[in-house]
Amino acid sequence: MAEPPSIDACNNAANDVAESPSSTAEVLQPRAFQYEMLEESLRNNIIVAMDTGSGKTLIAILRIQAELERASTEKLIWFLAPHVELATQQAKVIATQIPSVQTRLLLGADGVEHWTHHCIADHPASRILRDFYHPYLAASNGPVPAILGLTASPVVNSKIGRLEELEANLQAISRTPKLHREELLRYVHRPSLVRLTYAAPMLDEGTSQIASRLNQLRMSLDIEQDPYVKALRADPLSYDSQPLKKAILRRKTYCQEQLKRLNTKAKIIEDELGAWAADWYVDACTRKLQRGVNDESTSLRLLDDSEKVYLEQCLSTLISCISPKALLSLDSARLSPKFFRLIDFLISQRKSEFTGLLFVRTRAEVAVLSHILSMHQEIKEFYMVSTFVGISSSGQRKANVDELVDVRAQVDTLDDLRLGRKNLVVTTSALEEGIDVSACNTVVCFDKPSNLKSLIQRRGRARKSESTFAIMLAEDNDPSTIATWQQLEEKMQQQYMDDMRQLQELESLEAVDEGDREFVVETTGAKLLLSDAVSHLYHFCATLLSRQLSDPTPIFTFNDVSTHLGHRAVTSKVLLPICVDASVREACSRSAWITEKGAKRDAAFEAYIQLYRAKLISDNLLPIRGYDKAATEVESQVEKIASLVQVAGQLNPWSLAARQWQRFGDLSNLHCSEVSLHCDEKMVAELHMLTPCALPPIPIVTLFWDANTTFRATIRPSSPHFSRPISAESAVQSTALLLSSVFRSRMAAENADFMTLFIPPAVEDPIQWAERFRGTIRGNKLKEIDLSLLSLPKLGIIRDMSHGGVPHILRGFQEGSLDANDIELKPQDIENEDAAIWLQVSRFPKRTDFLHAIPEQNQMVHPRTYKTLLRSEDCEIDRLPLAYAYFAASVPAILHCVGVRLTAAHLSNTLLAPVAFKNMELVVTAIAASAAQEATNYQRQEFLGDSVLKFLTSLMLKGKHLHWHEGILSRAKDHIVSNASLAKAALVVGLDSFILTTPFTGSKWRPLYISEHLDNPNGKPRQLSTKTLADVVEALIGAAFLEGGFDKATAILKVLLPTVSWSPVEDCNSILHSTHQAPLAYPPHFAQLEQLIGYTFTLKSLPLEALTHSSYIGSNVSTSYERLEFLGDVCLDIIVATTAYNHEPPIPTHGLHLIRTAVVNAHFLAFLCLTLSISVPRTNITTGNKKNDVSMSETSVPIHIWNFMRHAAPIVRKSQQDCLKRYEALKTLILETLQKGSYIPWALLARLDAPKFFSDIIESLIGAIYIDSHGSLAACESFLETLGIMGYLRRLLQGGVALYHPKEELGQLADTENVRYEVFREEGEEK
């Protein structure tokens, strides 16, 4: 058994944890008595019993710090608190005082199902300690948690024996400071007790007219008009149901309960505060309800509109008898003597620096009493009244009409009290325990405390010097009760201080039944008892995914096996829901029992053990969820950073090439590729490119030179090794000359270690070639040349030396004086000379990103496409022909494409080597994010890979876990295919460095030098979304599928998701086929089903399972259709996805998603299920008036798939019939829209509102066909063709049909505006 975590602060011992000091931000300083308790705690488990406000939280802080110093890092320290406010406050204190460790707050809203706070009797916490903690400790199997309890009162009531029981369960001793008790008393002041007696109200005093009429109103209401009853009547699924009968017979509706609650609270307020207070209370609740009818911002926002309106109408008539003016001022004659006794006491307590708490029983009294106090003239002059009540952790619970206190307004209440902005807080028991409240000098109990614990905790709030603790008591109340509590507390204090007192072991008083037994999991110590078995089994059934119109609870039957001797004996059998595998669905009690209760426990016990052995129950004896705890933790870690994660920088493929260079001594080991540049099918230039590594196949690179010119670069590997007798120096010189023609300003003069070398193909000595074309010609030399003999392409770049050598392209010559019509743009700052030679030029592009076309909006104004004139004397002309300059300018784009392929090749040769990719372009596409702006990106392949992954995951899970029901299968699949899991997998295997995200811009590009890339394997770390990581995984799966089908897709899954046990598709198909050979009787009429769907089953159990609803109870059944539906869903998805993906021309990614959604959604499938039919013959027999006058006639009737569904719930049948009525009214319009419409009939299908089981059986039949055909998706597709899915899919792929759902369209039109939907039924529409 794993070592349990350390529990440093546990308040299960009593529902009280001491307050922290008033400022949680300051560093707490311990006193001597606190150190005393700390040292005692380090020696033994103790329960610190000290007054409220004496500093128990600081003791816990010290104890946690001590444990952190001595405990191993994997240990956890738990601080348990009984309610939300206290837990929140203490978490803040701990985090402030111990900032070096992480503090995590867990509340009910975090999904924690149960907290337990009682360690006595048979409470769960007590049983955990009794059944696990003590046996584990007695066996000496290892360390157990240390326990520190913090309390002001370790017992709740006056039973002294409860203390010994508590100490025994916690294996702790109650302790109060003894060595430094005087110091404790010096800092913790006991208040003086004041009894405020008041006279009981006289019977003839005024009564509340509203309160007296409220109950009469509730009972006189017509229950049929109640919104809940009307809703049940209108719901076809709930008509004549058990909830409806219960609502009518017991008047158990929300509105009735609200009126009852309001009546009860009004009666309490009338008794405690008087008739005027009760009238005001009901009036205030009614007016709040009136405001909330049309105001969604109020606390009544979770009520149905019909309920709010109904209650408002009822209460409005009720309060009409009260004049609003009567409630604007206090009516002394109609207020209680108790209230006026409180007023007299508060007036007597008026003093500077007053702070007080006023405890009442109910939240309603908090609201009313605070209001009355704020209205009372003498009170409001001195007291600033506020309120505080408990806070629920549930935000979805319906509001109560009787609730007046707005918890949102009390956020600052305690701070206001601390800072003096408020000095009196009316509260409930919420402020009795733990919460940090400033020390008060007056505490008033408006009612007698309910128990000793409450008295001690409330008294502890009055801890200022010379404070007062007042309890209001009626004159006829027995004052001895308070005295008894004080005597008991003094006796308990004597017990605490007796350090020689020994723990007395608690003897078991429960008799052990003769048949009692337990089941223990050795690896975890988890234990199952007969007494727990029934609740455990119900919990397991509750975890099954809820199915429409079926009950997931187990069914128990009993058998009387009594003998003739008269001894009663009963056995039991339990039948679990039909969605559970047949092999573990039934269990019987092992023994005979006297009572049915015992037999039921026994059967449940055997059933649960049976589920455990089938691995449907974990080693902790809890229902499995489809993935282990470790996997859940990994998933949660990724989900916490779901937006962005820091990943490795993008792989630098040239770093690998640089390391290759170091191994070569000469050019003979280099790889040579022919690189040619074409424009309009004409070659512009060709050079040989030398690289230290072989290049993968590279497609033609399209280069967008300008708005009107496009080049194509072709890279052809010519030989594995370079064989020309050329020196390295000559190759370097030719490369330098080539690149310097365009990038001379970006080249390092001292660097000549080029990563790639370029040499002319037909030149024996590149040095001579370089010398020939190196340098420039002065423009004035043109006057000495016959310009008509010059070939423009043989000239190089024209450089305007008057403007720093700006490069241009020569377009022509012009001699002599200029004519304004000869040029498109007039030259500037030049003189018109008759003898001058003018060069007609256009700017050489400065941009180097030729991989992306110039945006259309920039094409017409691009300055570099304009022509201008330059004077020859101001220019120099490169000797290197212009064609090589074109080539040089294209080098950045060409090398970028080469680098991308090298990255993909490195990925394929390392991480993905087991996959053996042949088509490298599939890998390139898969790793290219859209941000990289490559020619292709992963989005379409990700769409396909998503379907492939879900298909293979579902097939693997179903084949591997034959006993798992669909709920577990779905959770397991969702976990494996979730973005969180895929993103984590990508990071674990190191896929992140291969993902292309940096777009090529060519900006500041400079030649690649070996020395600069040798030690730079990756770029800077970057941020990627987890969705991008997951998408690349799915895109690679799609790439593998495109190249090698499911076999290669499985191979890549083994690489990318190695923690999952992937099996070949053929093996899974064989397993599933072999496990569905149950010898079930095949109903003869199912032959018509096979005719209807166009498929004949070999395994006849499959169509039976595919059409068995979870409500079905009977023989000749294996299980219900959920597992087959689970498989059929992904079969349908993969067929639709592959068909849409392979369509020509290719469909954009967003369109693929929309089309798939339109075809596989439940509404559409349900409609096809209702539509597909065949005619079967029927014989009609009619009789005449005469004897033996009988005639027969043949006719035919349609039969549908849903007719074959097996179920046992009348409500299922009613749902079918109701849906058929809607179908008959809508089918013609839906069919016309599907066949000829320009949009998808989303709204019509929604109005059809078909129950989900219609679409479920379509998917389950697909799954059945897949298994029966040994995994033939073609057979499944044939059924889809029969059903009409494939035909409609083809229509959508051809275009012309609007794909967006109306809500999506409206959302796009609304842009950033909020859209509010109102749902209503048109008059005459079928309900």
Side-chain angles (χ1 to χ4, degrees), residues 992-1057:
D992 49 328
S993 62
F994 295 96
I995 300 175
L996 307 177
T997 58
T998 305
F1000 173 75
T1001 63
S1003 176
K1004 299 181 181 180
W1005 185 91
R1006 61 196 307 259
L1008 306 178
Y1009 297 108
I1010 297 172
S1011 57
E1012 294 180 356
H1013 290 269
L1014 188 60
D1015 298 321
N1016 186 21
N1018 284 58
K1020 295 181 180 179
R1022 51 191 169 153
Q1023 298 254 318
L1024 284 184
S1025 69
T1026 51
K1027 184 179 185 308
T1028 297
L1029 292 167
D1031 286 349
V1032 171
V1033 171
E1034 292 178 330
L1036 284 169
I1037 296 170
F1041 176 76
L1042 289 171
E1043 183 168 291
F1046 289 124
D1047 290 341
K1048 189 157 281 192
T1050 303
I1052 201 171
L1053 284 173
K1054 292 179 179 179
V1055 173
L1056 299 178
L1057 299 173

Side-chain angles (χ1 to χ4, degrees), residues 1076-1096:
H1076 282 81
Q1077 299 182 6
L1080 298 178
Y1082 195 59
H1085 68 281
F1086 266 56
Q1088 296 173 344
L1089 170 69
E1090 296 178 336
Q1091 180 185 357
L1092 173 61
I1093 65 176
Y1095 182 85
T1096 301

Side-chain angles (χ1 to χ4, degrees), residues 1108-1166:
T1108 299
H1109 187 262
S1110 54
S1111 66
Y1112 181 74
I1113 300 175
S1115 59
N1116 196 40
V1117 62
S1118 56
T1119 186
S1120 54
Y1121 59 61
E1122 284 81 11
R1123 276 175 56 90
L1124 286 177
E1125 176 213 343
F1126 171 78
L1127 178 60
D1129 174 72
V1130 292
C1131 290
L1132 171 62
D1133 189 83
I1134 191 67
I1135 292 171
V1136 172
T1138 53
T1139 302
Y1141 182 89
N1142 293 324
H1143 183 266
E1144 292 294 339
I1147 305 294
T1149 308
H1150 188 57
L1152 291 174
H1153 285 285
L1154 292 174
I1155 289 172
R1156 179 171 62 183
T1157 301
V1159 173
V1160 304
N1161 77 87
H1163 293 300
F1164 179 61
L1165 296 179

